[in-house]
């Protein structure tokens, strides 16, 4: 038989942690996170894709070797790239490759926010435990690891479509799906997942910084005595935008390496390390931060929209279907 203290501990555990399937980890809870993450992902794409196209084109344009004197590069900077793209290809040129992230950002952000919740609960003894900022960073890294399986092939196809420019000759890829099909035919899943190492180096710490910044700014913006799910849309967007800027500032270098690797001709590089060595040898450290300006310019509105969509959707879903055995919050 159990002692009185053992029975009391068992009762405490039952109170602190709801039964499996009763709280946000039940089927309904997972569907809420999936749907809310999908809303956030769609808003992220529409708000940020044009500047993402500019970032990728700046990162992947041909550049001279270190100290070499050659003619002026195709794009002199963010504004010049935007003007030339619109002039030659129209507004649609800025939205090239958008179908890939639009289709894949729903599961990507669902997996990301799900992974973030998993990362938080792994560090909690009780569901009521408050996490520290370093623990939010750890949870974000778990989320980054979760999303690599989706983000790697998505970026591979997206980047190839973004660097394909309008010309008199027939384009190599007629659509996003045609690009994915051709890449797969040339090398199978391994070719679609080219750049996985660089994506891990980018996403794991970058997503940690991303969620750390979001939680920190939310804490600063939440008045004492106010529940976090009562924070206004404007403050949610500010926290999300700052999170995007912090996350991309921390991971622009591995993102540049990834873009170079994923858009190079098949077999040109043996891996991310070979890209990094060539860039440092021929162009210097500064080349790693190519595309920083459009990346940060894109990050604020894109992630402000993403977190707004996610948080407002979760509030709506929790109002329609309150979690059983848990407080009606999104935290």
């Amino acid at each position: 038989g159990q002692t009185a203290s053992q029975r009391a501990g068992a009762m405490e555990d039952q109170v602190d942690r709801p039964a499996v399937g009763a709280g946000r980890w039940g089927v309904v809870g997972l569907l809420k996170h999936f749907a809310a993450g999908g809303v956030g992902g769609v808003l992220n794409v529409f708000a940020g894709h044009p500047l993402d196209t500019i970032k990728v084109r700046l990162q992947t344009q041909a550049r001279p070797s270190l100290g070499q004197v050659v003619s002026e590069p195709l794009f002199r900077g963010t504004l010049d790239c935007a003007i030339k793209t619109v002039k030659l290809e129209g507004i649609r040129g800025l939205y090239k490759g958008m179908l890939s992230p639009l289709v894949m950002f729903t599961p990507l952000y669902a997996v990301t926010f799900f992974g973030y919740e998993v990362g938080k609960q792994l560090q909690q003894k009780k569901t009521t435990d408050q996490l520290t900022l370093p623990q939010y960073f750890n949870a974000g890294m778990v989320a980054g690891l979760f999303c690599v399986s989706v983000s790697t092939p998505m970026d591979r196809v997206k980047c190839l479509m973004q660097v394909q420019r309008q010309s008199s000759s027939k384009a190599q890829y007629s659509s996003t799906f045609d690009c994915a099909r051709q890449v797969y035919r040339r090398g199978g899943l391994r070719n679609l997942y080219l750049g996985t190492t660089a994506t891990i180096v980018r996403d794991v710490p970058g997503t940690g910084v991303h969620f750390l910044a979001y939680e920190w700014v939310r804490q600063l913006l939440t008045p004492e005595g106010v529940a976090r799910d009562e924070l206004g849309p404007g403050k949610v967007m500010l926290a999300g935008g700052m999170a995007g800027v912090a996350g991309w500032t921390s991971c622009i270098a591995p993102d540049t390496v990834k873009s170079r690797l994923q858009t190079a001709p098949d077999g040109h590089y043996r891996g991310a390390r070979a890209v990094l060595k060539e860039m440092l040898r021929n162009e210097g450290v500064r080349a790693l931060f190519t595309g920083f300006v459009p990346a940060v310019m894109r990050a604020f509105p894109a992630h402000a929209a993403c977190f707004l969509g996610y948080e407002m959707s979760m509030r709506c879903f929790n109002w329609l279907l309150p979690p059983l055995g848990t407080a009606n919050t999104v935290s």
Side-chain angles (χ1 to χ4, degrees):
Q2 290 181 316
T3 65
S5 61
Q6 288 174 328
R7 288 194 296 271
M11 292 177 64
E12 183 180 350
D13 287 342
Q14 292 175 2
V15 172
D16 288 334
R17 191 171 293 280
V20 175
R24 58 186 171 187
W25 297 118
V27 174
V28 174
L30 289 175
L31 289 176
K32 288 179 187 177
H33 283 281
F34 178 84
V39 172
V42 169
L43 293 178
N44 180 298
V45 174
F46 276 105
H49 193 78
L51 281 164
D52 186 66
T53 298
I54 294 171
K55 171 185 72 72
V56 171
R57 290 192 170 188
L58 288 172
Q59 287 176 330
T60 57
Q61 69 174 327
R63 293 180 177 276
S65 299
L66 195 64
Q68 183 180 0
V69 179
V70 296
S71 58
E72 189 175 292
L74 178 61
F75 305 122
R76 296 193 302 271
T78 301
L79 182 61
D80 183 59
C81 182
I83 292 173
K84 287 181 177 177
T85 297
V86 173
K87 183 178 179 180
L88 296 175
E89 306 170 47
I91 294 295
R92 290 181 61 182
L94 295 173
Y95 286 90
K96 279 192 172 181
M98 191 177 77
L99 185 58
S100 169
L102 194 59
V103 169
M104 300 187 74
F105 265 37
T106 296
L108 173 64
Y109 275 82
V111 168
T112 298
F113 281 104
F114 173 74
Y116 183 54
E117 293 296 331
V118 170
K120 288 195 292 185
Q121 289 210 1
L122 286 174
Q123 301 175 91
Q124 291 175 311
K125 293 182 179 179
K126 298 181 293 185
T127 55
T128 54
D129 288 348
Q130 294 297 314
L131 299 181
T132 63
L133 290 177
Q135 286 176 317
Y136 283 126
F137 175 75
N138 293 336
M141 288 199 296
V142 172
L145 193 59
F146 268 56
C147 73
V148 166
S149 61
V150 180
S151 61
T152 304
M154 181 195 75
D155 276 355
R156 172 81 159 122
V157 174
K158 175 181 70 68
C159 288
L160 285 172
M161 289 297 296
Q162 286 174 319
V163 299
Q164 179 175 262
R165 299 183 179 88
Q166 203 81 358
S167 66
S168 56
S169 59
K170 185 179 179 181
Q172 182 177 1
Y173 307 114
S174 60
S175 67
T176 297
F177 290 115
D178 178 58
C179 179
R181 182 168 55 249
Q182 288 194 43
V183 170
Y184 179 78
R185 284 179 178 175
R186 294 199 301 265
L189 284 176
R190 184 173 183 177
N191 199 17
L192 273 173
Y193 277 86
L194 179 69
T196 298
T197 300
T199 304
I200 291 173
V201 173
R202 180 194 69 174
D203 284 357
V204 174
T207 308
V209 172
H210 182 245
F211 279 107
L212 166 64
Y214 180 68
E215 298 293 348
W216 179 56
V217 176
R218 280 200 65 151
Q219 289 179 12
L220 294 178
L221 296 176
T222 303
E224 188 175 352
V226 176
R228 59 172 288 154
D229 64 339
E230 296 175 0
L231 202 64
K235 292 183 177 180
V236 170
M237 292 181 70
L238 178 58
M242 294 304 295
V245 170
W248 272 101
T249 299
S250 70
C251 69
I252 188 65
D255 181 69
T256 302
V257 173
K258 178 200 68 66
S259 294
R260 292 278 185 100
L261 176 61
Q262 291 183 324
T263 58
D266 291 351
H268 184 75
Y269 295 111
R270 296 186 62 181
R273 183 179 298 179
V275 179
L276 178 61
K277 287 182 177 179
E278 182 181 275
M279 290 180 67
L280 293 178
R281 181 178 64 250
N282 294 337
E283 305 168 49
V285 175
R286 186 175 179 180
L288 293 173
F289 299 92
T290 305
F292 175 77
V293 172
V296 172
M297 288 175 62
R298 167 195 172 274
F300 191 95
H303 290 276
C306 176
F307 274 101
L308 178 67
Y310 172 77
E311 294 284 4
M312 296 302 115
S313 296
M314 284 301 298
R315 293 182 195 184
C316 179
F317 298 150
N318 284 335
W319 178 76
L320 292 171
L321 296 168
L324 298 174
T326 59
N328 193 12
T329 65
V330 191
S331 61

